[in-house]
Amino acid sequence: MAAAHTPRESAHAAALGVRQALGGSFAAISKWERELGKLRVLVNVGELADGEEEFPDDESYPVHEFPEIVDFLHEQWAGGGEPSAWVERAEEPPGGPVPTGAEGGGCVNPQRVAALRRRGRGCCVVAPIVLHGRAWGELYVARRTGEQVFGRADADFASVLAAVTAAGIAQTERLAEARRLAFTDSLTGLANRRAVDMRLDEALELHRGDRTVVSLVVCDLNGLKRVNDSRGHAVGDRLLERFGSVLSLCGAMLPGMLAARLGGDEFCLLAVGPPADEVVKVAGELCDRAGELDLGEGVAVGVASTGDPIGPVRSARRLFRLADAAQYKAKAARSGEPVVAGRHGGKDDPVVRLADAPDRRTGPERRRFRR
């Protein structure tokens, strides 16, 4: 689990480990989705029955079918005890059901018993997974019909394994949150420059391999300094947030488009795959919507796409320079429409030539092109 990069990978590693440790034929990890009142299966491993998938899209069960989650577990914890695992059997042992808690429990849940029989399993051990003092989900391990039934010692071991699983899940969630913060702009919630750089490098690898169209839309929000100076930085932040929402909305018009804040009043959209004309259309929509904001003075937008005649694009720096040069021209002309590199004379386009010129600018604008 320590090597997992995603919650799904973590759950998969846990399920494989507990199945082996408990000698089961099948194991599953499920999560309690409180807001939906469902127990959702994240992963199934081992011998899968008909209808079971390793990573199910939507295998979930109403929590009211599992009263031990919402009633029994909470009753047990209320007295200060720790949650413990229990055993379910497909068939009653000689002499009738074993009382709950004795030898790992007995047939206490009709839904689980029916599922065991339907899937050819003789018994299962169920252990709650607890995170931050609350029931997060459950660990479930089953054995085939005819194999030795789980006992109290197995249930106790399952409780220990559930605690280890919970620690692994907590670590994965912390790492996922750290990765999210590392690639997210804290003010707008959009991707940040680091995320753009990574995605753009990957996109240009595709472009070099199969000529996938890669397009970059660079935006400079007009009027932010005036708003900050006249109305305060809190209002300026509100303008950035509102424009971020507009950018996100426009980015959603094309599948997989990444909306990002590069820093300060600079934003961008990155598209991988869609034709250049579609990207330019989105950039035009962005100009129109930004002009309707009650704060600021619209936006200057430049577009550079490998789908246009802009010459070879061998690096992310090159595409950024082209898009930025187009945006610089849009700002100088106070254009209410995007300026597109390569659309006014191909390789002799003034924007392309501007991007090819030696960069004599200083300060943050120059540093932005360094990689």
Side-chain angles (χ1 to χ4, degrees), residues 169-345:
I169 290 171
Q171 174 180 294
T172 304
E173 289 185 346
R174 285 194 296 269
L175 291 175
E177 178 65 9
R179 282 192 290 269
R180 186 190 69 80
L181 293 174
F183 294 102
T184 302
D185 176 64
S186 59
L187 177 64
T188 63
L190 301 175
N192 62 14
R193 177 60 189 260
R194 183 183 291 108
V196 174
D197 286 344
M198 289 187 63
R199 182 76 65 87
L200 186 52
D201 285 341
E202 294 169 356
L204 289 177
E205 281 294 325
L206 290 175
H207 172 70
R208 286 188 283 269
D210 60 10
R211 312 311 296 171
T212 297
V213 175
V214 180
S215 305
L216 188 65
V217 180
V218 171
C219 320
D220 191 286
L221 188 58
N222 298 326
L224 178 63
K225 185 177 185 304
R226 178 188 61 77
V227 171
N228 282 334
D229 291 345
S230 63
R231 304 182 64 176
H233 285 273
V235 179
D237 285 350
R238 195 185 317 151
L239 172 59
L240 290 169
E241 289 179 285
R242 289 181 179 176
F243 180 71
S245 297
V246 169
L247 187 74
S248 179
L249 178 66
C250 292
M253 294 177 180
L254 289 178
M257 207 173 205
L258 179 70
R261 181 186 177 200
L262 300 175
D265 57 1
E266 296 181 331
F267 294 78
C268 80
L269 291 170
L270 173 60
V272 182
D277 286 344
E278 294 297 316
V279 176
V280 172
K281 189 182 299 183
V282 169
E285 181 71 16
L286 178 62
C287 288
D288 293 343
R289 289 179 180 267
E292 296 172 357
L293 292 174
D294 58 348
L295 295 169
E297 301 166 7
V299 65
V301 176
V303 183
S305 174
T306 62
D308 284 324
I310 57 175
V313 177
R314 298 187 178 90
S315 68
R317 182 175 183 271
R318 167 68 176 165
L319 198 63
F320 253 113
R321 285 180 66 89
L322 286 164
D324 194 74
Q327 180 269 122
Y328 186 76
K329 183 168 178 135
K331 198 172 190 72
R334 298 182 180 275
S335 174
E337 297 180 351
V339 172
V340 185
R343 294 211 170 185
H344 302 285

Side-chain angles (χ1 to χ4, degrees), residues 41-200:
V41 179
L42 302 179
V43 59
N44 296 310
V45 299
E47 298 175 4
L48 305 184
D50 291 343
E52 289 179 331
E53 298 176 358
E54 186 173 22
F55 296 108
D57 291 329
D58 186 25
E59 183 183 350
S60 58
Y61 305 92
V63 173
H64 68 76
E65 295 183 358
F66 304 94
E68 64 272 12
I69 294 178
V70 291
D71 295 326
F72 168 68
L73 293 179
H74 289 188
E75 291 281 337
Q76 188 178 22
W77 299 347
E82 292 294 326
S84 59
W86 64 93
V87 173
E88 304 277 1
R89 304 164 183 260
E91 304 296 338
E92 292 184 4
V98 179
T100 300
E103 295 302 321
C107 301
V108 296
N109 188 309
Q111 284 79 15
R112 291 191 193 273
V113 171
L116 286 171
R117 293 171 179 168
R118 185 170 64 251
R119 292 165 178 164
R121 294 165 186 154
C123 63
C124 67
V125 59
V126 184
I129 298 172
V130 180
L131 249 61
H132 315 303
R134 303 179 72 181
W136 179 91
E138 69 171 39
L139 176 158
Y140 177 101
V141 183
R143 286 177 177 166
R144 305 179 195 90
T145 299
E147 293 186 336
Q148 182 178 354
V149 174
F150 289 115
R152 179 72 265 165
D154 297 308
D156 290 341
F157 188 29
S159 296
V160 173
L161 294 173
V164 174
T165 298
I169 290 171
Q171 174 180 294
T172 304
E173 289 185 346
R174 285 194 296 269
L175 291 175
E177 178 65 9
R179 282 192 290 269
R180 186 190 69 80
L181 293 174
F183 294 102
T184 302
D185 176 64
S186 59
L187 177 64
T188 63
L190 301 175
N192 62 14
R193 177 60 189 260
R194 183 183 291 108
V196 174
D197 286 344
M198 289 187 63
R199 182 76 65 87
L200 186 52

